[in-house]
Amino acid sequence: MSNAFDSSSRYYDLLYQEKDSAAEAAYIDQLLQCHGIIGQNLLEFGSGTGRHGRQLASRGYWVHGLERSESMVAAAQQANGFSCEIGDITTTQLDRRFAAVLALFHVVSYQTTNSEVQAVFANAAFHLNHGGLFLFDVWYSPAVAAQRPELRVKRLHTADLEITRIAEPMIHCNQNRVDVHYTVLAHHTGSGEFETFKEVHPMRHFSLPELDLLAEGAGFERLTAEEWLTGSPPSESAWGVCVVLRKR
């Protein structure tokens, strides 16, 4: 089962070490509590290596993750209150229901076709109790259009590893999609080993009317939409927008 992160999973936590998972978990916790979900069972679509799941578990939630990448699940650190398994968020159906379904770090934006997005929304609804929440963040179309993706280079190092990652975007305006072509160069300074690989991450961006239509089709209503972490209204400067839906 292929996945956009299969090659980079070995370096995932290092590549995204600047992400403040504790602050993000606090933000999610606050949103959940605002809608009456405190310390309940959560299902996380695309749980990765468990960065958010473990943080939310430490805040009193019980979190189970579905992650398509076998290497990510293998790298995930199980913790009290957090577990995960290999599964496809468009098709895997568990035999239990949850108070909320989460899809964080643009997991929904990785669903680039209408059928994939519709399947994720339907699967979220399937796993929710009546009145349950679907909370996710996406790339926001007005911001993508206003700011335009550009080439970026990230350099990181540890005591025995140096990594350079080049991100080259290719914009597909008629598909609301940006294909981010990554080239990763890793130098293991202790052993002298060099590793180079490429990945393509297709990312879809969404407008609010588009998300509302998808929500309605899956039996949801939108409660809130705001800039990720800040809580500000969505705008051309808000590349990431967090949406909270409620199952009718």
Side-chain angles (χ1 to χ4, degrees):
M1 185 181 294
S2 62
N3 181 275
F5 289 98
D6 277 346
S7 296
S8 61
S9 60
R10 180 181 180 186
Y11 309 110
Y12 180 86
D13 286 335
L14 176 60
L15 287 168
Y16 296 101
Q17 65 179 356
E18 80 282 358
K19 285 183 64 64
D20 190 341
S21 298
E24 292 177 350
Y27 168 73
I28 296 159
D29 180 26
Q30 182 181 40
L31 280 176
L32 292 173
Q33 290 195 47
C34 282
H35 297 291
I37 295 179
I38 303 171
Q40 298 187 51
N41 291 335
L42 311 177
L43 176 61
E44 185 180 5
F45 282 176
S47 54
T49 59
R51 290 163 63 103
H52 291 114
R54 291 193 302 275
Q55 288 286 343
L56 288 166
S58 72
R59 290 178 167 270
Y61 295 93
W62 293 90
V63 186
H64 185 70
L66 280 180
E67 171 55 53
R68 185 179 177 185
S69 169
E70 296 182 20
S71 54
M72 287 282 199
V73 173
Q77 299 175 24
Q78 307 288 328
N80 185 31
F82 170 72
S83 58
C84 63
E85 64 180 90
I86 298 168
D88 189 323
I89 64 173
T90 64
T91 58
T92 300
Q93 295 187 333
L94 307 177
D95 60 357
R96 51 189 166 130
R97 300 296 181 268
F98 299 82
V101 173
L102 312 177
L104 307 174
F105 201 12
H106 314 312
V107 163
V108 170
S109 282
Y110 276 92
Q111 318 309 310
T112 57
T113 68
N114 289 339
S115 60
E116 287 173 339
V117 182
Q118 288 170 324
V120 169
F121 275 57
N123 205 23
F126 173 84
H127 286 98
L128 285 171
N129 300 318
H130 177 73
L133 301 185
F134 183 26
L135 187 158
F136 60 91
D137 64 301
V138 293
W139 282 19
Y140 188 48
S141 292
V144 174
Q147 299 182 39
R148 304 284 292 181
E150 58 186 20
L151 185 146
R152 295 187 178 185
V153 178
K154 176 183 285 188
R155 293 184 174 87
L156 301 164
H157 69 275
T158 65
D160 57 359
L161 178 65
E162 297 175 350
I163 290 182
T164 300
R165 188 182 71 175
I166 304 167
E168 301 174 274
M170 180 177 292
I171 299 171
H172 300 274
C173 59
N174 291 325
Q175 285 80 46
N176 282 12
R177 192 182 88 233
V178 178
D179 290 349
V180 184
H181 293 252
Y182 288 113
T183 301
V184 179
L185 303 93
H187 177 208
H188 297 264
T189 54
S191 65
E193 173 192 359
F194 283 90
E195 181 181 10
T196 302
F197 57 87
K198 297 179 182 290
E199 289 180 340
V200 180
H201 291 218
M203 303 294 294
R204 180 167 174 170
H205 48 88
F206 297 86
S207 66
L208 290 185
E210 183 181 11
L211 290 170
D212 287 344
L213 188 62
L214 288 161
E216 182 180 353
F220 288 107
E221 61 178 338
R222 174 159 59 90
L223 299 180
T224 61
E226 62 186 44
E227 184 177 17
W228 175 252
L229 289 181
T230 72
S232 299
S235 69
E236 290 182 349
S237 64
W239 193 280
V241 165
C242 181
V243 178
V244 180
L245 308 179
R246 179 168 59 198
K247 182 179 176 179
R248 292 193 179 100

